[in-house]
Amino acid sequence: MEVVVLQNPAHVGRFVADLVVDLVERRPDAVLGLATGSSPIPTYRELIHRHRDGIEFQRTTTFLLDEYVGLASSHPASYRRFIDDELTDHLDIDASNVHGPAGDTNEPHGEAERYERAIAAAGGIDLQLLGIGADGHVGFNEPMSSLSSRTRIKTLTNQTRSDNARFFDGQLNDVPRHVITQGIGTILDARHCILIATGPAKADPVARSVEGPLQARCPASALQLHRHATIVLDEDAASRLEFISYYKEAFAGRDISVAPSGDR
Ligand code: F6R
């Protein structure tokens, strides 16, 4: 794991945008895996700026991590709507290359299988952006998810539903109970995983994921198994890491380099 600790969320956004742009410049047809939620927003704003400065995303393909079961893509709190509003509508990506699980399907199990096949048919994900939940989830793989799970239906914990009520005007009862999410095994298949975490609420799950034991109780700890995972943190999210001075020293001395993304 490469652990990169930066001053604040704006620095995190610029750093991660650099990695995305570097990949897209080297491989214009890159397949990007996108997270929703607050953590990647500074990165998405930065990517929109880079596009205005001339970076093209025309040939990229994107796949969302997850979607709420029961929400149509037009629903204001759907993840498809979120990514369109926060990123893809502002880039030159063809809408037909922006993929997410269909939340409003009558066949959510079949949709999860179809989505898994669609990712494979695109050649797999070159660079997967991830956030982390307060309970250590990645995608919507809640604690005790199988570490080799594939895209499927999951039931959200009460903690995640209440954390996400802010996207539903604070109405907990409006937050769906079920989601279609890429599995942990699906996520680990990405050629480069970048986990973004900022703010003090992420300090505990980050410490458990990076330095705790590898265990289903903390799904993001599965990234310890990945051959190319980059954990990009602000000072607050890094504040409970035992080896923080080592990570900083290694990064400053370039003992670790952030290796190129998505090498096939
Ligand atoms: C979103 C997702 C979730 C979020 C996580 C953190 O697509 O899969 O794992 O990344 O819940 O959310 P924020 O960034 O809002 O704290």
Side-chain angles (χ1 to χ4, degrees):
M1 273 180 168
E2 299 165 324
V3 181
V4 178
V5 182
L6 301 169
Q7 209 177 334
N8 59 40
H11 286 85
V12 168
R14 284 199 289 276
F15 183 84
V16 176
D18 281 346
L19 297 179
V20 175
V21 166
D22 175 64
L23 172 65
V24 170
E25 285 184 323
R26 284 185 296 113
R27 185 173 299 132
D29 62 348
V31 180
L32 305 177
L34 301 177
T36 52
S38 341
S39 306
I41 285 181
T43 300
Y44 294 157
R45 300 228 162 113
E46 192 61 31
L47 288 174
I48 293 167
H49 287 306
R50 307 289 176 94
H51 171 59
R52 289 185 183 142
D53 289 344
I55 302 295
E56 293 185 2
F57 292 85
Q58 224 165 7
R59 292 173 54 205
T60 59
T61 300
T62 63
F63 284 91
L64 284 180
L65 271 172
D66 37 27
E67 184 58 276
Y68 291 107
V69 171
L71 299 196
S73 56
S74 55
H75 189 286
S78 79
Y79 279 169
R80 174 55 195 258
R81 176 81 176 268
F82 177 99
I83 207 69
D84 285 344
D85 289 350
E86 297 294 336
L87 181 67
T88 48
D89 277 357
H90 307 276
L91 305 179
D92 53 348
I93 299 185
D94 190 315
S96 64
N97 286 334
V98 180
H99 302 282
D104 57 349
T105 172
N106 292 328
E107 280 286 337
H109 294 285
E111 172 60 11
E113 287 170 18
R114 182 203 66 77
Y115 195 64
E116 178 82 23
R117 285 195 300 272
I119 294 171
I125 290 173
D126 291 310
L127 188 164
Q128 176 67 60
L129 297 180
L130 299 164
I132 183 169
D135 60 5
H137 69 228
V138 275
F140 273 137
N141 297 284
E142 298 285 30
M144 307 311 163
S145 292
S146 157
L147 298 185
S148 57
S149 48
R150 313 304 305 187
T151 306
R152 70 214 183 291
I153 313 299
K154 281 299 286 182
T155 303
L156 295 178
T157 60
N158 288 337
Q159 156 134 45
T160 300
R161 290 183 64 240
S162 95
D163 286 348
N164 287 6
R166 68 193 194 279
F167 296 114
F168 292 80
D169 294 328
Q171 299 300 310
L172 180 60
N173 285 338
D174 292 346
V175 183
R177 290 178 187 279
H178 297 104
V179 289
I180 299 174
T181 181
Q182 286 187 34
I184 298 176
T186 317
I187 291 169
L188 292 180
D189 281 349
R191 285 175 272 272
H192 184 188
C193 286
I194 300 178
L195 186 140
I196 301 168
T198 55
K202 299 298 169 71
D204 175 63
V206 163
R208 290 193 294 121
S209 305
V210 174
E211 296 176 345
L214 169 67
Q215 54 177 345
R217 188 179 282 271
C218 182
S221 68
L223 289 171
Q224 294 174 24
L225 291 174
H226 197 278
R227 70 188 166 91
H228 191 189
T230 307
I231 315 297
V232 190
L233 310 170
D234 71 354
E235 295 277 357
D236 286 336
S239 60
R240 293 207 193 144
L241 288 171
E242 189 183 342
F243 295 98
I244 184 165
S245 54
Y246 170 73
Y247 306 131
K248 287 184 172 180
E249 199 181 318
F251 186 59
R254 299 283 185 259
D255 289 345
I256 61 166
S257 61
V258 176
S261 291
D263 286 326
R264 291 180 182 172

